[in-house]
Amino acid sequence: MYDENNIFAKIIRGEIPCEKIYEDEEVLFFNDINPIAKIHVLGIPKTPSTDFSDFILKNDPEKIAEFYKKINMIVEKLEIRDSGYKIITNSGDNGGQEVPHFHVHILGGEKINS
Ligand code: AMP
């Protein structure tokens, strides 16, 4: 079940600040507070979903595609398309997910080994 008090839900509601990269009605992209690469941006859809599977099951293909198109827009905005990057989403205990609101990590700016 979705926890309305997870930290990303609080960021979406503006209760906790973040370093915004891009925001519109549907999505928010912001810098990770504990970056593991020179560029470490988190991307979240604003609608509640706990993880990747929940996001896919709850949304129609158009909405899912829109989110992934926006990830690519951020890749372009960060100017890491040519140098390369990694997109990761952690899910559940075995996936090492800490925050139970679906998000992607965009890592770049240097060689990503993890
Ligand atoms: P995950 O392990 O995939 O759930 O990743 C959660 C990520 O959220 C970690 O990389 C954290 O550093 C990051 N994080 C936690 N709290 C905040 C916050 N207040 N602002 C930005 N990033 C955060």
Side-chain angles (χ1 to χ4, degrees):
M1 196 159 85
Y2 184 77
D3 170 14
E4 294 286 349
N5 285 318
N6 77 74
I7 203 143
F8 293 170
K10 289 181 179 175
I11 286 175
I12 291 167
R13 292 196 294 267
E15 294 165 11
I16 290 178
C18 69
E19 279 179 32
K20 254 174 229 176
I21 303 285
Y22 173 84
E23 180 174 25
D24 64 24
E25 283 187 0
E26 304 287 333
V27 302
L28 175 61
F29 290 81
F30 53 101
N31 284 324
D32 196 293
I33 206 168
N34 189 18
I36 60 165
K38 276 188 192 154
I39 292 174
H40 188 169
V41 171
L42 299 172
I44 57 178
K46 289 185 174 177
T47 49
S49 47
T50 55
D51 62 8
F52 173 77
S53 299
D54 197 30
F55 177 66
I56 297 296
L57 291 170
K58 270 185 187 157
N59 291 285
D60 59 37
E62 210 170 299
K63 178 134 186 179
I64 294 165
E66 273 307 311
F67 180 60
Y68 280 87
K69 277 175 179 276
K70 283 176 189 170
I71 295 172
N72 191 52
M73 183 187 78
I74 298 303
V75 164
E76 303 270 11
K77 186 178 164 80
L78 295 168
E79 298 182 338
I80 55 173
R81 184 176 169 188
D82 291 343
S83 54
Y85 55 90
K86 193 169 279 199
I87 296 171
I88 295 174
T89 184
N90 299 321
S91 187
D93 281 349
N94 285 353
Q97 183 179 8
E98 289 168 16
V99 180
H101 180 109
F102 169 56
H103 55 279
V104 297
H105 298 251
I106 304 171
L107 301 167
E110 62 184 320
K111 193 97 176 160
I112 309 298
N113 292 313
S114 55

PDB file of all heavy atoms in Angstrom, residues 9-33:
ATOM      1  N   ALA A   9       6.752  11.841  -1.504  1.00  0.00           N
ATOM      2  CA  ALA A   9       5.397  12.407  -1.449  1.00  0.00           C
ATOM      3  C   ALA A   9       5.461  13.778  -0.777  1.00  0.00           C
ATOM      4  O   ALA A   9       4.794  14.728  -1.197  1.00  0.00           O
ATOM      5  CB  ALA A   9       4.464  11.472  -0.682  1.00  0.00           C
ATOM      6  N   LYS A  10       6.297  13.899   0.244  1.00  0.00           N
ATOM      7  CA  LYS A  10       6.449  15.185   0.943  1.00  0.00           C
ATOM      8  C   LYS A  10       7.115  16.218   0.033  1.00  0.00           C
ATOM      9  O   LYS A  10       6.754  17.394   0.052  1.00  0.00           O
ATOM     10  CB  LYS A  10       7.268  15.001   2.229  1.00  0.00           C
ATOM     11  CG  LYS A  10       6.497  14.262   3.300  1.00  0.00           C
ATOM     12  CD  LYS A  10       7.309  14.113   4.566  1.00  0.00           C
ATOM     13  CE  LYS A  10       6.478  13.395   5.623  1.00  0.00           C
ATOM     14  NZ  LYS A  10       7.252  13.120   6.834  1.00  0.00           N
ATOM     15  N   ILE A  11       8.077  15.767  -0.761  1.00  0.00           N
ATOM     16  CA  ILE A  11       8.731  16.682  -1.718  1.00  0.00           C
ATOM     17  C   ILE A  11       7.709  17.151  -2.750  1.00  0.00           C
ATOM     18  O   ILE A  11       7.640  18.349  -3.065  1.00  0.00           O
ATOM     19  CB  ILE A  11       9.950  15.992  -2.370  1.00  0.00           C
ATOM     20  CG1 ILE A  11      11.093  15.906  -1.349  1.00  0.00           C
ATOM     21  CG2 ILE A  11      10.403  16.742  -3.623  1.00  0.00           C
ATOM     22  CD1 ILE A  11      12.318  15.140  -1.823  1.00  0.00           C
ATOM     23  N   ILE A  12       6.889  16.247  -3.272  1.00  0.00           N
ATOM     24  CA  ILE A  12       5.864  16.619  -4.262  1.00  0.00           C
ATOM     25  C   ILE A  12       4.911  17.659  -3.661  1.00  0.00           C
ATOM     26  O   ILE A  12       4.548  18.633  -4.323  1.00  0.00           O
ATOM     27  CB  ILE A  12       5.074  15.374  -4.731  1.00  0.00           C
ATOM     28  CG1 ILE A  12       5.966  14.459  -5.570  1.00  0.00           C
ATOM     29  CG2 ILE A  12       3.832  15.776  -5.520  1.00  0.00           C
ATOM     30  CD1 ILE A  12       5.393  13.063  -5.809  1.00  0.00           C
ATOM     31  N   ARG A  13       4.541  17.474  -2.394  1.00  0.00           N
ATOM     32  CA  ARG A  13       3.606  18.410  -1.747  1.00  0.00           C
ATOM     33  C   ARG A  13       4.289  19.702  -1.319  1.00  0.00           C
ATOM     34  O   ARG A  13       3.634  20.615  -0.814  1.00  0.00           O
ATOM     35  CB  ARG A  13       2.964  17.748  -0.516  1.00  0.00           C
ATOM     36  CG  ARG A  13       2.023  16.600  -0.829  1.00  0.00           C
ATOM     37  CD  ARG A  13       1.120  16.251   0.359  1.00  0.00           C
ATOM     38  NE  ARG A  13       1.838  15.732   1.492  1.00  0.00           N
ATOM     39  CZ  ARG A  13       2.062  14.428   1.739  1.00  0.00           C
ATOM     40  NH1 ARG A  13       1.612  13.522   0.900  1.00  0.00           N
ATOM     41  NH2 ARG A  13       2.720  14.042   2.811  1.00  0.00           N
ATOM     42  N   GLY A  14       5.611  19.775  -1.477  1.00  0.00           N
ATOM     43  CA  GLY A  14       6.337  20.992  -1.109  1.00  0.00           C
ATOM     44  C   GLY A  14       6.627  21.098   0.377  1.00  0.00           C
ATOM     45  O   GLY A  14       7.010  22.157   0.868  1.00  0.00           O
ATOM     46  N   GLU A  15       6.473  19.989   1.092  1.00  0.00           N
ATOM     47  CA  GLU A  15       6.714  20.024   2.548  1.00  0.00           C
ATOM     48  C   GLU A  15       8.199  19.896   2.865  1.00  0.00           C
ATOM     49  O   GLU A  15       8.636  20.252   3.957  1.00  0.00           O
ATOM     50  CB  GLU A  15       5.938  18.882   3.226  1.00  0.00           C
ATOM     51  CG  GLU A  15       4.432  19.050   3.135  1.00  0.00           C
ATOM     52  CD  GLU A  15       3.653  17.784   3.478  1.00  0.00           C
ATOM     53  OE1 GLU A  15       4.240  16.818   3.996  1.00  0.00           O
ATOM     54  OE2 GLU A  15       2.436  17.778   3.188  1.00  0.00           O
ATOM     55  N   ILE A  16       8.949  19.344   1.907  1.00  0.00           N
ATOM     56  CA  ILE A  16      10.400  19.203   2.042  1.00  0.00           C
ATOM     57  C   ILE A  16      11.007  19.795   0.771  1.00  0.00           C
ATOM     58  O   ILE A  16      10.496  19.539  -0.332  1.00  0.00           O
ATOM     59  CB  ILE A  16      10.786  17.711   2.178  1.00  0.00           C
ATOM     60  CG1 ILE A  16      10.324  17.177   3.534  1.00  0.00           C
ATOM     61  CG2 ILE A  16      12.278  17.502   2.008  1.00  0.00           C
ATOM     62  CD1 ILE A  16      10.626  15.716   3.734  1.00  0.00           C
ATOM     63  N   PRO A  17      12.081  20.600   0.913  1.00  0.00           N
ATOM     64  CA  PRO A  17      12.668  21.200  -0.289  1.00  0.00           C
ATOM     65  C   PRO A  17      13.477  20.194  -1.102  1.00  0.00           C
ATOM     66  O   PRO A  17      13.856  19.134  -0.602  1.00  0.00           O
ATOM     67  CB  PRO A  17      13.594  22.284   0.288  1.00  0.00           C
ATOM     68  CG  PRO A  17      13.944  21.806   1.647  1.00  0.00           C
ATOM     69  CD  PRO A  17      12.780  20.991   2.143  1.00  0.00           C
ATOM     70  N   CYS A  18      13.701  20.549  -2.360  1.00  0.00           N
ATOM     71  CA  CYS A  18      14.595  19.745  -3.190  1.00  0.00           C
ATOM     72  C   CYS A  18      15.243  20.670  -4.205  1.00  0.00           C
ATOM     73  O   CYS A  18      14.764  21.791  -4.419  1.00  0.00           O
ATOM     74  CB  CYS A  18      13.837  18.610  -3.893  1.00  0.00           C
ATOM     75  SG  CYS A  18      12.710  19.203  -5.177  1.00  0.00           S
ATOM     76  N   GLU A  19      16.332  20.201  -4.799  1.00  0.00           N
ATOM     77  CA  GLU A  19      16.996  20.963  -5.867  1.00  0.00           C
ATOM     78  C   GLU A  19      16.353  20.564  -7.180  1.00  0.00           C
ATOM     79  O   GLU A  19      16.740  19.557  -7.787  1.00  0.00           O
ATOM     80  CB  GLU A  19      18.493  20.632  -5.896  1.00  0.00           C
ATOM     81  CG  GLU A  19      19.305  21.370  -4.880  1.00  0.00           C
ATOM     82  CD  GLU A  19      20.782  20.965  -4.958  1.00  0.00           C
ATOM     83  OE1 GLU A  19      21.289  20.642  -6.049  1.00  0.00           O
ATOM     84  OE2 GLU A  19      21.411  20.961  -3.893  1.00  0.00           O
ATOM     85  N   LYS A  20      15.386  21.343  -7.604  1.00  0.00           N
ATOM     86  CA  LYS A  20      14.601  21.001  -8.793  1.00  0.00           C
ATOM     87  C   LYS A  20      15.383  21.163 -10.092  1.00  0.00           C
ATOM     88  O   LYS A  20      16.062  22.165 -10.283  1.00  0.00           O
ATOM     89  CB  LYS A  20      13.392  21.937  -8.880  1.00  0.00           C
ATOM     90  CG  LYS A  20      12.088  21.292  -8.532  1.00  0.00           C
ATOM     91  CD  LYS A  20      10.965  22.307  -8.486  1.00  0.00           C
ATOM     92  CE  LYS A  20      10.195  22.123  -7.181  1.00  0.00           C
ATOM     93  NZ  LYS A  20       9.151  23.107  -6.983  1.00  0.00           N
ATOM     94  N   ILE A  21      15.250  20.174 -10.942  1.00  0.00           N
ATOM     95  CA  ILE A  21      15.810  20.247 -12.300  1.00  0.00           C
ATOM     96  C   ILE A  21      14.688  20.593 -13.277  1.00  0.00           C
ATOM     97  O   ILE A  21      14.855  21.379 -14.193  1.00  0.00           O
ATOM     98  CB  ILE A  21      16.422  18.878 -12.711  1.00  0.00           C
ATOM     99  CG1 ILE A  21      17.494  18.435 -11.722  1.00  0.00           C
ATOM    100  CG2 ILE A  21      16.929  18.901 -14.134  1.00  0.00           C
ATOM    101  CD1 ILE A  21      18.790  19.174 -11.837  1.00  0.00           C
ATOM    102  N   TYR A  22      13.525  19.975 -13.056  1.00  0.00           N
ATOM    103  CA  TYR A  22      12.373  20.194 -13.942  1.00  0.00           C
ATOM    104  C   TYR A  22      11.115  19.750 -13.209  1.00  0.00           C
ATOM    105  O   TYR A  22      11.114  18.748 -12.509  1.00  0.00           O
ATOM    106  CB  TYR A  22      12.526  19.367 -15.234  1.00  0.00           C
ATOM    107  CG  TYR A  22      11.296  19.408 -16.111  1.00  0.00           C
ATOM    108  CD1 TYR A  22      11.098  20.465 -16.994  1.00  0.00           C
ATOM    109  CD2 TYR A  22      10.328  18.410 -16.046  1.00  0.00           C
ATOM    110  CE1 TYR A  22       9.956  20.524 -17.790  1.00  0.00           C
ATOM    111  CE2 TYR A  22       9.182  18.462 -16.843  1.00  0.00           C
ATOM    112  CZ  TYR A  22       9.012  19.524 -17.710  1.00  0.00           C
ATOM    113  OH  TYR A  22       7.882  19.581 -18.488  1.00  0.00           O
ATOM    114  N   GLU A  23      10.053  20.523 -13.411  1.00  0.00           N
ATOM    115  CA  GLU A  23       8.761  20.127 -12.824  1.00  0.00           C
ATOM    116  C   GLU A  23       7.630  20.543 -13.762  1.00  0.00           C
ATOM    117  O   GLU A  23       7.675  21.617 -14.362  1.00  0.00           O
ATOM    118  CB  GLU A  23       8.561  20.811 -11.457  1.00  0.00           C
ATOM    119  CG  GLU A  23       7.241  20.424 -10.807  1.00  0.00           C
ATOM    120  CD  GLU A  23       7.092  20.976  -9.387  1.00  0.00           C
ATOM    121  OE1 GLU A  23       7.725  22.005  -9.074  1.00  0.00           O
ATOM    122  OE2 GLU A  23       6.329  20.365  -8.619  1.00  0.00           O
ATOM    123  N   ASP A  24       6.646  19.679 -13.901  1.00  0.00           N
ATOM    124  CA  ASP A  24       5.377  20.084 -14.514  1.00  0.00           C
ATOM    125  C   ASP A  24       4.261  19.409 -13.729  1.00  0.00           C
ATOM    126  O   ASP A  24       4.505  18.910 -12.620  1.00  0.00           O
ATOM    127  CB  ASP A  24       5.357  19.767 -16.036  1.00  0.00           C
ATOM    128  CG  ASP A  24       5.437  18.270 -16.330  1.00  0.00           C
ATOM    129  OD1 ASP A  24       5.066  17.448 -15.469  1.00  0.00           O
ATOM    130  OD2 ASP A  24       5.877  17.915 -17.449  1.00  0.00           O
ATOM    131  N   GLU A  25       3.066  19.392 -14.285  1.00  0.00           N
ATOM    132  CA  GLU A  25       1.930  18.846 -13.515  1.00  0.00           C
ATOM    133  C   GLU A  25       2.060  17.351 -13.226  1.00  0.00           C
ATOM    134  O   GLU A  25       1.517  16.845 -12.250  1.00  0.00           O
ATOM    135  CB  GLU A  25       0.627  19.089 -14.276  1.00  0.00           C
ATOM    136  CG  GLU A  25       0.164  20.523 -14.155  1.00  0.00           C
ATOM    137  CD  GLU A  25      -1.200  20.752 -14.763  1.00  0.00           C
ATOM    138  OE1 GLU A  25      -1.800  19.789 -15.290  1.00  0.00           O
ATOM    139  OE2 GLU A  25      -1.647  21.900 -14.694  1.00  0.00           O
ATOM    140  N   GLU A  26       2.802  16.664 -14.093  1.00  0.00           N
ATOM    141  CA  GLU A  26       2.861  15.204 -14.008  1.00  0.00           C
ATOM    142  C   GLU A  26       4.106  14.643 -13.332  1.00  0.00           C
ATOM    143  O   GLU A  26       4.069  13.551 -12.775  1.00  0.00           O
ATOM    144  CB  GLU A  26       2.807  14.602 -15.426  1.00  0.00           C
ATOM    145  CG  GLU A  26       1.608  15.015 -16.255  1.00  0.00           C
ATOM    146  CD  GLU A  26       0.339  14.340 -15.766  1.00  0.00           C
ATOM    147  OE1 GLU A  26       0.441  13.248 -15.192  1.00  0.00           O
ATOM    148  OE2 GLU A  26      -0.733  14.922 -15.954  1.00  0.00           O
ATOM    149  N   VAL A  27       5.222  15.362 -13.454  1.00  0.00           N
ATOM    150  CA  VAL A  27       6.513  14.797 -13.045  1.00  0.00           C
ATOM    151  C   VAL A  27       7.377  15.800 -12.296  1.00  0.00           C
ATOM    152  O   VAL A  27       7.145  17.020 -12.381  1.00  0.00           O
ATOM    153  CB  VAL A  27       7.333  14.307 -14.274  1.00  0.00           C
ATOM    154  CG1 VAL A  27       6.572  13.272 -15.066  1.00  0.00           C
ATOM    155  CG2 VAL A  27       7.752  15.466 -15.148  1.00  0.00           C
ATOM    156  N   LEU A  28       8.369  15.272 -11.605  1.00  0.00           N
ATOM    157  CA  LEU A  28       9.356  16.122 -10.933  1.00  0.00           C
ATOM    158  C   LEU A  28      10.718  15.443 -11.056  1.00  0.00           C
ATOM    159  O   LEU A  28      10.839  14.230 -10.827  1.00  0.00           O
ATOM    160  CB  LEU A  28       8.959  16.277  -9.459  1.00  0.00           C
ATOM    161  CG  LEU A  28       9.913  17.026  -8.527  1.00  0.00           C
ATOM    162  CD1 LEU A  28      10.113  18.463  -8.984  1.00  0.00           C
ATOM    163  CD2 LEU A  28       9.371  17.004  -7.098  1.00  0.00           C
ATOM    164  N   PHE A  29      11.721  16.228 -11.433  1.00  0.00           N
ATOM    165  CA  PHE A  29      13.100  15.752 -11.487  1.00  0.00           C
ATOM    166  C   PHE A  29      13.928  16.640 -10.569  1.00  0.00           C
ATOM    167  O   PHE A  29      13.814  17.870 -10.618  1.00  0.00           O
ATOM    168  CB  PHE A  29      13.663  15.802 -12.921  1.00  0.00           C
ATOM    169  CG  PHE A  29      13.046  14.784 -13.839  1.00  0.00           C
ATOM    170  CD1 PHE A  29      11.816  15.021 -14.442  1.00  0.00           C
ATOM    171  CD2 PHE A  29      13.683  13.582 -14.088  1.00  0.00           C
ATOM    172  CE1 PHE A  29      11.237  14.072 -15.280  1.00  0.00           C
ATOM    173  CE2 PHE A  29      13.117  12.626 -14.930  1.00  0.00           C
ATOM    174  CZ  PHE A  29      11.889  12.876 -15.519  1.00  0.00           C
ATOM    175  N   PHE A  30      14.758  16.021  -9.722  1.00  0.00           N
ATOM    176  CA  PHE A  30      15.529  16.792  -8.749  1.00  0.00           C
ATOM    177  C   PHE A  30      16.828  16.052  -8.428  1.00  0.00           C
ATOM    178  O   PHE A  30      16.946  14.840  -8.649  1.00  0.00           O
ATOM    179  CB  PHE A  30      14.716  17.025  -7.466  1.00  0.00           C
ATOM    180  CG  PHE A  30      14.152  15.795  -6.827  1.00  0.00           C
ATOM    181  CD1 PHE A  30      14.771  15.221  -5.710  1.00  0.00           C
ATOM    182  CD2 PHE A  30      13.013  15.179  -7.326  1.00  0.00           C
ATOM    183  CE1 PHE A  30      14.252  14.076  -5.107  1.00  0.00           C
ATOM    184  CE2 PHE A  30      12.489  14.021  -6.740  1.00  0.00           C
ATOM    185  CZ  PHE A  30      13.104  13.480  -5.631  1.00  0.00           C
ATOM    186  N   ASN A  31      17.798  16.797  -7.889  1.00  0.00           N
ATOM    187  CA  ASN A  31      19.084  16.195  -7.560  1.00  0.00           C
ATOM    188  C   ASN A  31      18.965  15.271  -6.356  1.00  0.00           C
ATOM    189  O   ASN A  31      18.282  15.594  -5.375  1.00  0.00           O
ATOM    190  CB  ASN A  31      20.122  17.283  -7.245  1.00  0.00           C
ATOM    191  CG  ASN A  31      20.632  17.965  -8.495  1.00  0.00           C
ATOM    192  OD1 ASN A  31      20.798  17.326  -9.535  1.00  0.00           O
ATOM    193  ND2 ASN A  31      20.868  19.260  -8.412  1.00  0.00           N
ATOM    194  N   ASP A  32      19.660  14.137  -6.444  1.00  0.00           N
ATOM    195  CA  ASP A  32      19.715  13.223  -5.299  1.00  0.00           C
ATOM    196  C   ASP A  32      20.513  13.888  -4.180  1.00  0.00           C
ATOM    197  O   ASP A  32      21.561  14.499  -4.418  1.00  0.00           O
ATOM    198  CB  ASP A  32      20.379  11.898  -5.704  1.00  0.00           C
ATOM    199  CG  ASP A  32      20.122  10.798  -4.698  1.00  0.00           C
ATOM    200  OD1 ASP A  32      20.633  10.909  -3.545  1.00  0.00           O
ATOM    201  OD2 ASP A  32      19.414   9.833  -5.038  1.00  0.00           O
ATOM    202  N   ILE A  33      20.028  13.764  -2.959  1.00  0.00           N
ATOM    203  CA  ILE A  33      20.666  14.412  -1.806  1.00  0.00           C
ATOM    204  C   ILE A  33      22.023  13.766  -1.469  1.00  0.00           C
ATOM    205  O   ILE A  33      22.873  14.390  -0.836  1.00  0.00           O
ATOM    206  CB  ILE A  33      19.703  14.367  -0.584  1.00  0.00           C
ATOM    207  CG1 ILE A  33      19.987  15.507   0.370  1.00  0.00           C
ATOM    208  CG2 ILE A  33      19.727  13.019   0.103  1.00  0.00           C
ATOM    209  CD1 ILE A  33      18.913  15.705   1.435  1.00  0.00           C
TER     210      ILE A  33
END
